[in-house]
Amino acid sequence: MNNGFWDTLFATGNPVVGLSPMDGVTDAAMRHMTAKHGQPDILFTEFISVDALSHAKEVQSVDRVMRTFMRAKDVGKLAKEPYEIAQVFGHTPELFYQAAVMIGELGFDGMDINMGCPMHKVEDQGRGAGLIRTPEVAKEIVRQAKQGMADWAAGKVKISDLIVSEEVKKWVYTHAQHKIEKVALPVSVKTRVGVDSIVVEEWMEHLMEVRPANISLHGRTLRQLYQGSADWEAIGRAAGVVHKHGGHILGNGDVLSLQDGMDKVKQFGVDGFLIGRFAEGN
């Protein structure tokens, strides 16, 4: 399977370093500054609800929703452009199909599915980390996202075919990259080690059934939110499961610095790491 830029990164043998997606933080300006001064390998957008993508109608609400999909290079030129990944969340599989088509058109390098947000208003509706409770739904979401990418790349579906408002279609048309050759973008997952307790081995087995291009794993459960310490031992066990199936995994949680991340790579056997809250203002 072609996992796009992920294959390129992992082929170097060097740990992958990225800025973790953070709601209300990693907008295009933040990503641009991080790319300019930190030069990470990858950047994630803030997450967008696939329901919002599908149901936004008024021009103001469409602009408010879709501006999250502005890219770092839209803010200004960069000497080195990291790979940029659009992150979405929700619980309705078919809406991820539509989101994949939009993300493909907008010129991102990949699509990431949030299965890790612990906020009550997100997880209580079976979205974000709430998907850990419903692995069959989670797997169908990945399948639908991949199918959307494949159909878009093959020319089987266009923006005009989507069941979204004309305002959303117009926004995507305006910001689309109009590539001559369309290639299905890789679909990855960001998640947590469990809900109330650590179930990381079982959860990784479920996710590897649908072969995401990468798994980014935060070392806390949903119930922990951001309290306590990230369990890197659990992340290490997850890495064993993912690597057994030929996949790749990035660790996340309490990475204090670049060197600390590199040390964690060696100790726990992950393929790289994401820096989140400790990147703010650093």
Side-chain angles (χ1 to χ4, degrees):
M1 176 181 291
N2 178 17
N3 287 321
F5 75 90
W6 290 107
D7 285 344
T8 302
L9 285 177
F10 293 130
T12 68
N14 298 319
V16 174
V17 181
L19 176 67
S20 184
M22 291 176 282
D23 187 35
V25 178
T26 53
D27 59 10
M30 167 65 167
R31 281 179 271 124
H32 178 82
M33 289 188 293
T34 302
K36 182 177 180 180
H37 299 291
Q39 297 188 345
D41 298 308
I42 55 175
L43 298 169
F44 293 83
T45 68
E46 301 172 82
F47 63 9
I48 293 183
S49 163
V50 293
D51 296 271
L53 290 174
S54 297
H55 303 311
K57 294 182 180 180
E58 291 77 16
V59 173
Q60 286 185 327
S61 65
V62 168
D63 183 65
R64 186 170 62 252
V65 169
M66 301 300 290
R67 73 178 62 170
T68 303
F69 276 168
M70 289 184 64
R71 295 161 305 155
K73 63 182 178 181
D74 294 332
V75 176
K77 291 184 179 180
L78 293 166
K80 177 184 177 183
E81 294 182 6
Y83 296 107
E84 275 194 283
I85 307 159
Q87 192 185 70
V88 290
F89 75 102
H91 68 279
T92 307
E94 56 266 29
L95 296 185
F96 286 83
Y97 180 102
Q98 297 206 136
V101 177
M102 293 186 227
I103 290 168
E105 282 289 331
L106 291 171
F108 283 96
D109 299 297
M111 174 179 181
D112 191 75
I113 299 170
N114 183 297
M115 299 186 186
C117 179
M119 296 298 101
H120 182 67
K121 65 181 180 180
V122 173
E123 64 86 10
D124 188 52
Q125 299 181 45
R127 305 176 297 178
L131 284 165
I132 301 173
R133 299 188 186 97
T134 56
E136 296 307 318
V137 176
K139 287 184 283 189
E140 184 58 23
I141 283 172
V142 177
R143 293 188 190 102
Q144 287 290 326
K146 285 187 171 186
Q147 192 61 56
M149 282 296 178
D151 289 351
W152 167 75
K156 295 180 180 179
V157 61
K158 302 176 182 178
I159 294 297
S160 58
D161 299 321
L162 303 183
I163 305 174
V164 298
S165 70
E166 291 303 315
E167 288 78 11
V168 169
K169 291 178 182 178
K170 182 178 179 180
W171 197 99
V172 175
Y173 280 130
T174 301
H175 295 82
Q177 297 303 296
H178 305 294
K179 296 179 180 178
I180 296 175
E181 181 182 2
K182 296 180 179 179
V183 178
L185 305 183
V187 176
S188 55
V189 169
K190 188 171 191 297
T191 188
R192 287 187 172 233
V193 295
V195 175
D196 299 299
S197 61
I198 294 174
V199 293
V200 69
E201 290 91 349
E202 178 183 356
W203 179 221
M204 292 301 105
E205 289 286 358
H206 276 296
L207 288 178
M208 290 311 297
E209 287 182 27
V210 288
R211 309 294 297 179
N214 176 70
I215 295 174
S216 299
L217 184 63
H218 187 102
R220 290 180 174 87
T221 64
L222 184 161
R223 291 298 174 221
Q224 281 183 273
L225 299 176
Y226 296 98
Q227 300 171 351
S229 299
D231 190 335
W232 275 82
E233 293 289 346
I235 292 175
R237 298 200 303 274
V241 175
V242 172
H243 290 154
K244 178 184 69 175
H245 291 283
H248 294 282
I249 182 170
L250 306 181
N252 177 221
D254 298 347
V255 178
L256 306 178
S257 66
L258 180 62
Q259 186 57 56
D260 182 45
M262 293 297 183
D263 292 341
K264 284 179 165 60
V265 168
K266 292 180 181 179
Q267 184 176 356
F268 300 105
V270 292
D271 301 297
F273 56 93
L274 301 180
I275 298 180
R277 291 173 296 153
F278 286 102
E280 295 184 67
N282 188 338

